Amino acid sequence: MNHSICHPAEAGRLLIASPGHGVGQAGIAAEDWNLLFCAVTDRLRQCANDLLAAGSLPQQTPPAISFSSEVLECADALDRLHADLRQRRA
């Protein structure tokens, strides 16, 4: 995925303003979808990396490491969906 089109500050604003957090009934603007995909993917990866970083702690459990791997798989799948959507829109 081309992360150069992602702007973390703007993407973070969109995540905070996503449905259930105050967005009006009009929904998400079409131009904001790319930023949202990037923000969600980046947040998933950060969560997974935080779990992996905690893996060096003595109390770290194998299920947490497994969960981290599953989160990274979800982030990769989201990247593939985003790429497919961009290709279809082109």
Side-chain angles (χ1 to χ4, degrees):
M1 182 177 142
N2 181 0
H3 287 282
S4 66
I5 62 168
C6 296
H7 306 284
E10 185 68 9
R13 177 193 66 78
L14 289 169
L15 273 180
I16 291 168
S18 63
H21 293 91
V23 167
Q25 298 223 349
I28 300 167
E31 62 271 11
D32 291 339
W33 278 103
N34 283 338
L35 289 172
L36 282 169
F37 270 107
C38 291
V40 170
T41 303
D42 289 346
R43 185 167 289 179
L44 284 169
R45 286 199 171 98
Q46 184 61 51
C47 289
N49 288 333
D50 289 348
L51 280 171
L52 288 174
S56 62
L57 300 175
Q59 69 270 21
Q60 183 65 28
T61 63
I65 294 170
S66 175
F67 179 74
S68 179
S69 296
E70 290 171 9
V71 171
L72 288 173
E73 287 174 12
C74 289
D76 290 341
L78 186 60
D79 272 342
R80 288 191 302 271
L81 288 170
H82 186 200
D84 186 57
L85 178 63
R86 281 193 318 242
Q87 192 174 36
R88 289 174 189 251
R89 283 190 282 176

Coordinates of all heavy atoms in Angstrom, one line a residue:
M1 N 0.8 -1.2 0.0 CA 0.0 0.0 0.0 C 0.9 1.2 0.0 O 1.9 1.3 0.6 CB -0.9 0.0 1.3 CG -1.8 1.2 1.3 SD -2.9 1.0 2.7 CE -2.9 2.7 3.2
N2 N 0.5 2.3 -0.7 CA 1.2 3.5 -0.7 C 0.8 4.4 0.4 O -0.2 5.1 0.4 CB 0.9 4.2 -2.1 CG 1.7 5.5 -2.2 OD1 2.4 5.9 -1.3 ND2 1.5 6.2 -3.3
H3 N 1.7 4.3 1.5 CA 1.3 5.1 2.7 C 1.6 6.6 2.5 O 1.3 7.4 3.3 CB 2.1 4.6 3.9 CG 1.6 3.3 4.4 ND1 0.4 3.2 5.2 CD2 2.0 2.0 4.2 CE1 0.2 2.0 5.4 NE2 1.1 1.2 4.9
S4 N 2.3 7.0 1.4 CA 2.6 8.4 1.1 C 1.3 9.2 1.0 O 1.3 10.4 1.1 CB 3.5 8.6 -0.1 OG 2.8 8.1 -1.2
I5 N 0.2 8.6 0.7 CA -1.1 9.3 0.5 C -1.8 9.5 1.9 O -2.8 10.2 2.0 CB -2.1 8.6 -0.5 CG1 -2.5 7.3 0.0 CG2 -1.5 8.6 -1.8 CD1 -3.6 6.7 -0.7
C6 N -1.2 8.9 2.9 CA -1.8 9.0 4.3 C -1.2 10.1 5.0 O -0.1 10.4 5.0 CB -1.6 7.7 5.1 SG -2.3 6.2 4.3
H7 N -2.1 10.8 5.7 CA -1.7 11.9 6.6 C -2.2 11.6 8.0 O -3.4 11.8 8.2 CB -2.3 13.2 6.1 CG -1.9 13.5 4.6 ND1 -0.7 13.9 4.2 CD2 -2.7 13.3 3.5 CE1 -0.7 14.0 2.9 NE2 -1.8 13.7 2.4
P8 N -1.3 11.1 8.9 CA -1.8 10.7 10.2 C -2.6 11.6 11.0 O -3.6 11.2 11.6 CB -0.5 10.4 10.9 CG 0.5 10.2 9.8 CD 0.1 11.0 8.7
A9 N -2.3 12.9 11.0 CA -3.1 13.9 11.8 C -4.5 13.9 11.2 O -5.5 13.9 12.0 CB -2.4 15.2 11.8
E10 N -4.6 14.0 9.9 CA -6.0 14.1 9.3 C -6.7 12.8 9.5 O -7.9 12.8 9.8 CB -5.8 14.5 7.8 CG -7.1 14.7 7.1 CD -7.9 16.0 7.5 OE1 -7.3 16.8 8.3 OE2 -9.0 16.1 7.1
A11 N -6.0 11.7 9.3 CA -6.7 10.4 9.5 C -7.2 10.2 10.9 O -8.3 9.7 11.2 CB -5.7 9.3 9.1
G12 N -6.4 10.7 11.9 CA -6.8 10.6 13.3 C -8.0 11.4 13.5 O -8.9 11.0 14.3
R13 N -8.1 12.6 12.9 CA -9.3 13.4 13.1 C -10.5 12.7 12.5 O -11.6 12.7 13.1 CB -9.2 14.7 12.3 CG -10.4 15.6 12.4 CD -10.3 16.8 11.4 NE -10.3 16.3 10.0 CZ -11.4 16.0 9.3 NH1 -12.6 15.9 9.9 NH2 -11.3 15.6 8.0
L14 N -10.4 12.0 11.4 CA -11.5 11.3 10.8 C -11.9 10.1 11.7 O -13.1 9.8 11.8 CB -11.1 10.8 9.4 CG -11.0 11.9 8.4 CD1 -10.4 11.4 7.1 CD2 -12.4 12.5 8.1
L15 N -11.0 9.4 12.3 CA -11.3 8.3 13.2 C -12.1 8.8 14.3 O -13.1 8.2 14.7 CB -10.1 7.6 13.7 CG -9.5 6.5 12.8 CD1 -8.3 5.8 13.4 CD2 -10.6 5.4 12.5
I16 N -11.7 9.9 14.9 CA -12.4 10.5 16.0 C -13.8 10.9 15.6 O -14.8 10.7 16.4 CB -11.7 11.7 16.6 CG1 -10.4 11.2 17.3 CG2 -12.5 12.4 17.6 CD1 -9.4 12.2 17.6
A17 N -14.0 11.4 14.4 CA -15.3 11.8 13.9 C -16.1 10.8 13.2 O -17.1 11.1 12.6 CB -15.1 13.0 13.0
S18 N -15.7 9.5 13.3 CA -16.3 8.4 12.6 C -17.7 8.1 13.2 O -18.0 8.6 14.3 CB -15.5 7.2 12.5 OG -15.3 6.7 13.8
P19 N -18.6 7.4 12.5 CA -19.9 7.1 13.0 C -19.9 6.6 14.4 O -19.0 5.8 14.8 CB -20.4 6.0 12.0 CG -19.7 6.3 10.7 CD -18.3 6.8 11.2
G20 N -20.8 7.1 15.2 CA -20.9 6.8 16.6 C -20.1 7.8 17.4 O -20.1 7.8 18.6
H21 N -19.4 8.7 16.7 CA -18.6 9.7 17.4 C -18.9 11.1 16.9 O -18.1 12.0 16.9 CB -17.1 9.4 17.2 CG -16.6 8.2 17.9 ND1 -16.6 7.0 17.3 CD2 -16.2 8.0 19.2 CE1 -16.1 6.1 18.2 NE2 -15.9 6.7 19.3
G22 N -20.1 11.3 16.5 CA -20.6 12.6 16.1 C -20.7 13.0 14.7 O -21.0 14.1 14.4
V23 N -20.4 12.1 13.7 CA -20.6 12.4 12.3 C -22.0 12.6 12.0 O -22.8 11.8 12.5 CB -19.9 11.3 11.4 CG1 -20.3 11.5 10.0 CG2 -18.4 11.4 11.5
G24 N -22.4 13.5 11.2 CA -23.8 13.8 10.9 C -24.3 12.6 10.0 O -23.6 11.7 9.6
Q25 N -25.6 12.7 9.7 CA -26.2 11.7 9.0 C -25.8 11.6 7.5 O -26.0 10.6 6.9 CB -27.8 11.9 9.0 CG -28.3 11.8 10.4 CD -29.6 11.0 10.5 OE1 -30.2 10.7 9.4 NE2 -30.0 10.7 11.7
A26 N -25.1 12.6 7.1 CA -24.6 12.6 5.7 C -23.5 11.5 5.5 O -23.3 11.0 4.4 CB -24.0 13.9 5.3
G27 N -22.8 11.1 6.6 CA -21.9 10.0 6.5 C -20.5 10.5 6.2 O -20.2 11.7 6.5
I28 N -19.7 9.7 5.6 CA -18.3 10.0 5.3 C -18.1 10.5 3.9 O -18.6 9.8 3.0 CB -17.4 8.7 5.6 CG1 -17.6 8.3 7.0 CG2 -15.9 9.0 5.2 CD1 -17.0 6.9 7.2
A29 N -17.4 11.6 3.7 CA -17.2 12.1 2.4 C -16.3 11.1 1.6 O -15.4 10.5 2.2 CB -16.5 13.5 2.5
A30 N -16.5 11.0 0.3 CA -15.8 10.1 -0.5 C -14.3 10.3 -0.4 O -13.6 9.3 -0.4 CB -16.3 10.2 -2.0
E31 N -13.9 11.5 -0.4 CA -12.4 11.8 -0.4 C -11.8 11.4 1.0 O -10.6 11.3 1.1 CB -12.1 13.2 -0.7 CG -12.7 14.2 0.3 CD -14.1 14.7 -0.1 OE1 -14.7 14.1 -1.0 OE2 -14.6 15.7 0.5
D32 N -12.6 11.2 2.0 CA -12.1 10.8 3.3 C -11.9 9.3 3.4 O -11.2 8.8 4.4 CB -13.0 11.3 4.4 CG -13.0 12.8 4.6 OD1 -12.0 13.4 4.1 OD2 -13.9 13.3 5.1
W33 N -12.4 8.5 2.5 CA -12.3 7.0 2.6 C -10.9 6.6 2.7 O -10.5 5.7 3.4 CB -13.1 6.3 1.5 CG -14.5 6.2 1.9 CD1 -15.5 7.0 1.4 CD2 -15.1 5.3 2.8 NE1 -16.7 6.6 2.0 CE2 -16.5 5.6 2.9 CE3 -14.6 4.3 3.7 CZ2 -17.4 4.9 3.7 CZ3 -15.5 3.6 4.5 CH2 -16.9 3.9 4.5
N34 N -10.0 7.1 1.8 CA -8.6 6.7 1.7 C -7.9 7.0 3.1 O -7.2 6.2 3.6 CB -7.8 7.4 0.6 CG -8.1 6.9 -0.7 OD1 -8.5 5.7 -0.9 ND2 -7.9 7.6 -1.7
L35 N -8.2 8.2 3.7 CA -7.6 8.5 5.0 C -8.1 7.5 6.0 O -7.3 7.1 6.9 CB -7.9 9.9 5.3 CG -7.2 11.0 4.5 CD1 -7.8 12.4 4.8 CD2 -5.7 11.0 4.8
L36 N -9.4 7.2 6.0 CA -9.9 6.3 7.0 C -9.3 4.9 6.9 O -9.0 4.3 7.9 CB -11.4 6.2 6.9 CG -12.2 7.4 7.5 CD1 -13.6 7.3 7.1 CD2 -12.0 7.4 9.0
F37 N -9.2 4.4 5.7 CA -8.5 3.1 5.5 C -7.1 3.1 6.1 O -6.7 2.2 6.8 CB -8.4 2.7 4.0 CG -9.6 1.9 3.5 CD1 -10.5 2.5 2.6 CD2 -9.7 0.6 3.8 CE1 -11.6 1.8 2.1 CE2 -10.8 -0.1 3.3 CZ -11.7 0.5 2.5
C38 N -6.4 4.2 5.8 CA -5.0 4.3 6.3 C -5.0 4.4 7.8 O -4.2 3.7 8.5 CB -4.3 5.6 5.7 SG -4.0 5.5 4.0
A39 N -5.9 5.2 8.4 CA -6.0 5.3 9.8 C -6.3 4.0 10.5 O -5.7 3.7 11.5 CB -7.0 6.4 10.2
V40 N -7.3 3.3 10.0 CA -7.6 2.0 10.6 C -6.5 1.0 10.5 O -6.1 0.4 11.5 CB -8.9 1.5 10.0 CG1 -9.2 0.1 10.5 CG2 -10.1 2.4 10.3
T41 N -5.9 0.9 9.4 CA -4.8 0.0 9.2 C -3.6 0.4 10.1 O -3.0 -0.5 10.7 CB -4.3 0.0 7.7 OG1 -5.5 -0.3 6.9 CG2 -3.2 -1.0 7.4
D42 N -3.3 1.7 10.1 CA -2.2 2.1 11.0 C -2.5 1.8 12.5 O -1.6 1.4 13.2 CB -1.9 3.6 10.8 CG -1.2 3.9 9.5 OD1 -0.8 2.9 8.8 OD2 -1.2 5.1 9.1
R43 N -3.7 2.0 12.9 CA -4.1 1.8 14.3 C -4.0 0.3 14.6 O -3.5 -0.1 15.6 CB -5.4 2.3 14.6 CG -5.8 2.1 16.1 CD -7.0 2.9 16.5 NE -6.7 4.3 16.5 CZ -7.6 5.2 16.9 NH1 -8.8 4.9 17.2 NH2 -7.2 6.5 16.9
L44 N -4.5 -0.6 13.7 CA -4.3 -2.0 13.9 C -2.9 -2.4 14.0 O -2.5 -3.2 14.9 CB -5.0 -2.8 12.7 CG -6.5 -2.8 12.6 CD1 -6.9 -3.4 11.3 CD2 -7.0 -3.7 13.8
R45 N -2.0 -1.9 13.1 CA -0.6 -2.3 13.2 C 0.0 -1.8 14.5 O 0.9 -2.5 15.1 CB 0.1 -1.7 12.0 CG -0.2 -2.5 10.7 CD 0.8 -2.3 9.6 NE 0.6 -3.2 8.6 CZ -0.1 -2.9 7.5 NH1 -0.5 -1.7 7.2 NH2 -0.3 -3.8 6.5
Q46 N -0.3 -0.6 14.9 CA 0.2 -0.1 16.2 C -0.2 -0.9 17.4 O 0.6 -1.2 18.2 CB -0.2 1.4 16.4 CG 0.4 2.0 17.6 CD 1.9 2.1 17.5 OE1 2.5 2.5 16.5 NE2 2.6 1.6 18.5
C47 N -1.4 -1.4 17.4 CA -1.9 -2.2 18.5 C -1.2 -3.6 18.5 O -0.7 -4.0 19.5 CB -3.4 -2.5 18.3 SG -4.4 -1.1 18.7
A48 N -1.0 -4.1 17.3 CA -0.2 -5.4 17.2 C 1.2 -5.2 17.6 O 1.8 -6.0 18.3 CB -0.3 -5.9 15.7
N49 N 1.8 -4.1 17.2 CA 3.2 -3.9 17.6 C 3.4 -3.6 19.1 O 4.3 -4.1 19.7 CB 3.8 -2.7 16.8 CG 4.0 -3.0 15.3 OD1 4.2 -4.2 15.0 ND2 3.9 -2.1 14.4
D50 N 2.4 -3.0 19.7 CA 2.4 -2.8 21.1 C 2.3 -4.1 21.8 O 3.0 -4.3 22.8 CB 1.2 -1.9 21.6 CG 1.4 -0.4 21.1 OD1 2.5 0.0 20.7 OD2 0.4 0.3 21.3
L51 N 1.5 -5.0 21.3 CA 1.4 -6.4 21.9 C 2.8 -7.1 21.8 O 3.2 -7.8 22.7 CB 0.3 -7.2 21.3 CG -1.1 -6.9 21.8 CD1 -2.1 -7.6 21.0 CD2 -1.2 -7.3 23.3
L52 N 3.3 -7.0 20.6 CA 4.6 -7.7 20.4 C 5.7 -7.1 21.2 O 6.6 -7.8 21.7 CB 5.0 -7.6 18.9 CG 4.2 -8.5 17.9 CD1 4.6 -8.2 16.5 CD2 4.3 -9.9 18.3
A53 N 5.7 -5.8 21.4 CA 6.7 -5.1 22.2 C 6.6 -5.6 23.7 O 7.6 -5.8 24.4 CB 6.6 -3.6 22.2
A54 N 5.3 -5.8 24.1 CA 5.1 -6.3 25.5 C 5.5 -7.8 25.6 O 5.7 -8.3 26.7 CB 3.6 -6.2 25.8
G55 N 5.8 -8.4 24.5 CA 6.2 -9.8 24.4 C 7.5 -10.1 25.1 O 7.8 -11.2 25.5
S56 N 8.3 -9.0 25.3 CA 9.6 -9.2 26.0 C 9.4 -9.2 27.5 O 10.3 -9.5 28.2 CB 10.5 -8.1 25.6 OG 10.0 -6.8 26.0
L57 N 8.2 -8.9 28.0 CA 7.9 -8.9 29.4 C 7.7 -10.4 29.9 O 7.2 -11.2 29.1 CB 6.7 -8.1 29.7 CG 6.7 -6.6 29.3 CD1 5.4 -6.0 29.6 CD2 7.8 -5.9 30.1
P58 N 8.1 -10.7 31.1 CA 8.0 -12.1 31.6 C 6.5 -12.6 31.6 O 6.3 -13.8 31.4 CB 8.6 -12.0 33.0 CG 9.3 -10.8 33.1 CD 8.8 -9.8 32.0
Q59 N 5.6 -11.7 31.8 CA 4.2 -12.2 31.9 C 3.5 -12.3 30.6 O 2.3 -12.6 30.5 CB 3.4 -11.2 32.9 CG 3.2 -9.8 32.3 CD 4.2 -8.8 32.7 OE1 5.4 -9.2 33.0 NE2 3.9 -7.6 32.6
Q60 N 4.2 -12.0 29.5 CA 3.6 -12.1 28.2 C 3.2 -13.6 27.9 O 3.9 -14.5 28.2 CB 4.6 -11.7 27.1 CG 4.0 -11.7 25.7 CD 2.9 -10.7 25.5 OE1 2.8 -9.7 26.2 NE2 2.0 -11.0 24.6
T61 N 2.0 -13.7 27.4 CA 1.5 -15.1 27.1 C 1.4 -15.4 25.6 O 1.3 -14.4 24.8 CB 0.0 -15.2 27.7 OG1 -0.8 -14.3 27.0 CG2 0.0 -15.0 29.2
P62 N 1.5 -16.6 25.2 CA 1.4 -17.0 23.8 C 0.1 -16.5 23.1 O 0.2 -16.1 22.0 CB 1.6 -18.5 23.8 CG 2.4 -18.8 25.0 CD 1.9 -17.8 26.0
P63 N -1.0 -16.5 23.9 CA -2.2 -16.0 23.2 C -2.1 -14.6 22.8 O -2.7 -14.2 21.7 CB -3.3 -16.2 24.2 CG -2.8 -17.4 25.1 CD -1.3 -17.2 25.1
A64 N -1.5 -13.8 23.6 CA -1.3 -12.4 23.2 C -0.5 -12.2 21.9 O -0.8 -11.4 21.1 CB -0.7 -11.6 24.3
I65 N 0.6 -13.0 21.8 CA 1.4 -13.0 20.6 C 0.6 -13.5 19.4 O 0.7 -12.9 18.3 CB 2.7 -13.9 20.8 CG1 3.5 -13.2 21.9 CG2 3.4 -14.0 19.5 CD1 4.7 -14.1 22.4
S66 N -0.2 -14.5 19.6 CA -1.1 -15.0 18.5 C -2.1 -13.9 18.1 O -2.3 -13.7 16.9 CB -1.8 -16.3 19.0 OG -2.7 -16.7 18.0
F67 N -2.6 -13.3 19.1 CA -3.6 -12.2 18.8 C -3.0 -11.1 18.0 O -3.5 -10.6 17.0 CB -4.2 -11.7 20.1 CG -5.2 -10.6 19.9 CD1 -6.4 -10.8 19.4 CD2 -4.8 -9.3 20.2 CE1 -7.4 -9.8 19.2 CE2 -5.8 -8.2 20.0 CZ -7.0 -8.5 19.5
S68 N -1.7 -10.7 18.4 CA -1.0 -9.7 17.6 C -0.8 -10.1 16.2 O -1.0 -9.3 15.3 CB 0.4 -9.5 18.3 OG 1.1 -8.5 17.6
S69 N -0.5 -11.4 15.9 CA -0.4 -11.9 14.5 C -1.7 -11.8 13.8 O -1.7 -11.4 12.6 CB 0.1 -13.3 14.5 OG 1.4 -13.4 15.1
E70 N -2.8 -12.1 14.5 CA -4.1 -12.0 13.8 C -4.5 -10.6 13.5 O -5.0 -10.3 12.4 CB -5.1 -12.7 14.7 CG -5.0 -14.2 14.8 CD -5.8 -14.8 15.9 OE1 -6.7 -14.1 16.4 OE2 -5.7 -16.0 16.2
V71 N -4.1 -9.7 14.3 CA -4.4 -8.2 14.1 C -3.6 -7.8 12.9 O -4.1 -7.1 12.0 CB -4.1 -7.4 15.3 CG1 -4.2 -5.9 15.0 CG2 -5.1 -7.7 16.4
L72 N -2.3 -8.2 12.8 CA -1.5 -7.9 11.6 C -2.1 -8.5 10.3 O -2.1 -7.8 9.3 CB -0.1 -8.3 11.8 CG 0.7 -7.5 12.8 CD1 2.1 -8.1 13.1 CD2 0.9 -6.0 12.4
E73 N -2.6 -9.7 10.4 CA -3.3 -10.3 9.2 C -4.5 -9.5 8.8 O -4.7 -9.3 7.6 CB -3.7 -11.7 9.6 CG -2.5 -12.7 9.6 CD -3.0 -14.1 10.1 OE1 -4.2 -14.3 10.1 OE2 -2.1 -14.9 10.4
C74 N -5.2 -9.0 9.8 CA -6.4 -8.1 9.5 C -5.9 -6.8 8.8 O -6.6 -6.4 7.9 CB -7.2 -7.8 10.7 SG -8.1 -9.2 11.4
A75 N -4.9 -6.2 9.3 CA -4.4 -5.0 8.7 C -3.9 -5.3 7.2 O -4.2 -4.5 6.3 CB -3.2 -4.5 9.5
D76 N -3.3 -6.4 7.0 CA -2.9 -6.7 5.6 C -4.1 -7.0 4.7 O -4.1 -6.5 3.6 CB -2.0 -8.0 5.6 CG -0.6 -7.8 6.2 OD1 -0.2 -6.6 6.3 OD2 0.0 -8.8 6.6
A77 N -5.1 -7.6 5.3 CA -6.4 -7.8 4.5 C -7.0 -6.5 4.2 O -7.5 -6.3 3.1 CB -7.3 -8.7 5.3
L78 N -7.0 -5.6 5.1 CA -7.6 -4.3 4.9 C -6.8 -3.5 3.8 O -7.4 -2.8 3.0 CB -7.6 -3.5 6.2 CG -8.3 -2.1 6.2 CD1 -9.8 -2.3 5.8 CD2 -8.3 -1.4 7.5
D79 N -5.5 -3.6 3.8 CA -4.7 -3.0 2.8 C -5.1 -3.6 1.4 O -5.2 -2.8 0.4 CB -3.2 -3.3 3.0 CG -2.5 -2.3 3.9 OD1 -3.0 -1.2 4.1 OD2 -1.4 -2.6 4.4
R80 N -5.3 -4.9 1.3 CA -5.7 -5.5 0.0 C -7.0 -5.0 -0.4 O -7.3 -4.7 -1.6 CB -5.7 -7.0 0.1 CG -4.3 -7.6 0.2 CD -4.2 -9.1 0.1 NE -5.1 -9.8 1.1 CZ -4.6 -10.2 2.2 NH1 -3.4 -10.0 2.6 NH2 -5.4 -10.9 3.1
L81 N -8.0 -4.9 0.5 CA -9.3 -4.4 0.2 C -9.2 -2.9 -0.3 O -9.9 -2.5 -1.3 CB -10.2 -4.5 1.4 CG -10.7 -5.8 1.8 CD1 -11.4 -5.8 3.1 CD2 -11.7 -6.4 0.7
H82 N -8.4 -2.1 0.4 CA -8.2 -0.7 0.0 C -7.6 -0.6 -1.4 O -8.1 0.2 -2.2 CB -7.4 0.0 1.1 CG -7.2 1.4 0.9 ND1 -6.2 2.2 1.4 CD2 -8.0 2.3 0.2 CE1 -6.4 3.4 1.1 NE2 -7.4 3.5 0.3
A83 N -6.6 -1.4 -1.6 CA -6.0 -1.4 -3.0 C -7.0 -1.8 -4.1 O -7.0 -1.1 -5.1 CB -4.8 -2.3 -3.0
D84 N -7.8 -2.8 -3.8 CA -8.8 -3.2 -4.8 C -9.8 -2.1 -5.0 O -10.2 -1.8 -6.1 CB -9.5 -4.5 -4.3 CG -10.4 -5.0 -5.3 OD1 -10.0 -5.3 -6.5 OD2 -11.6 -5.2 -5.0
L85 N -10.2 -1.5 -3.9 CA -11.2 -0.4 -4.1 C -10.6 0.8 -4.9 O -11.3 1.3 -5.8 CB -11.6 0.1 -2.7 CG -12.6 1.3 -2.7 CD1 -14.0 0.9 -3.3 CD2 -12.9 1.7 -1.2
R86 N -9.4 1.1 -4.6 CA -8.7 2.2 -5.4 C -8.7 1.8 -6.8 O -8.9 2.7 -7.7 CB -7.3 2.5 -4.8 CG -7.3 3.4 -3.6 CD -5.9 3.9 -3.3 NE -4.9 2.8 -3.5 CZ -4.1 2.4 -2.6 NH1 -4.2 2.8 -1.3 NH2 -3.3 1.4 -2.8
Q87 N -8.3 0.6 -7.1 CA -8.2 0.1 -8.5 C -9.6 0.2 -9.2 O -9.6 0.6 -10.4 CB -7.6 -1.3 -8.5 CG -7.2 -1.8 -9.9 CD -6.5 -3.1 -9.8 OE1 -6.9 -4.0 -8.9 NE2 -5.5 -3.3 -10.6
R88 N -10.6 -0.2 -8.5 CA -11.9 -0.2 -9.1 C -12.4 1.3 -9.4 O -13.2 1.5 -10.3 CB -12.9 -0.9 -8.2 CG -12.7 -2.4 -8.2 CD -13.7 -3.1 -7.3 NE -13.3 -4.5 -7.1 CZ -14.1 -5.5 -7.6 NH1 -15.2 -5.2 -8.2 NH2 -13.7 -6.7 -7.4
R89 N -12.0 2.2 -8.5 CA -12.4 3.6 -8.7 C -11.6 4.3 -9.8 O -12.1 5.3 -10.3 CB -12.2 4.4 -7.4 CG -13.3 4.1 -6.4 CD -13.2 5.0 -5.2 NE -12.1 4.6 -4.3 CZ -11.7 5.3 -3.3 NH1 -12.3 6.4 -3.0 NH2 -10.7 4.9 -2.6
A90 N -10.5 3.7 -10.1 CA -9.6 4.4 -11.1 C -10.2 4.3 -12.5 O -11.0 3.5 -12.9 CB -8.2 3.8 -11.1

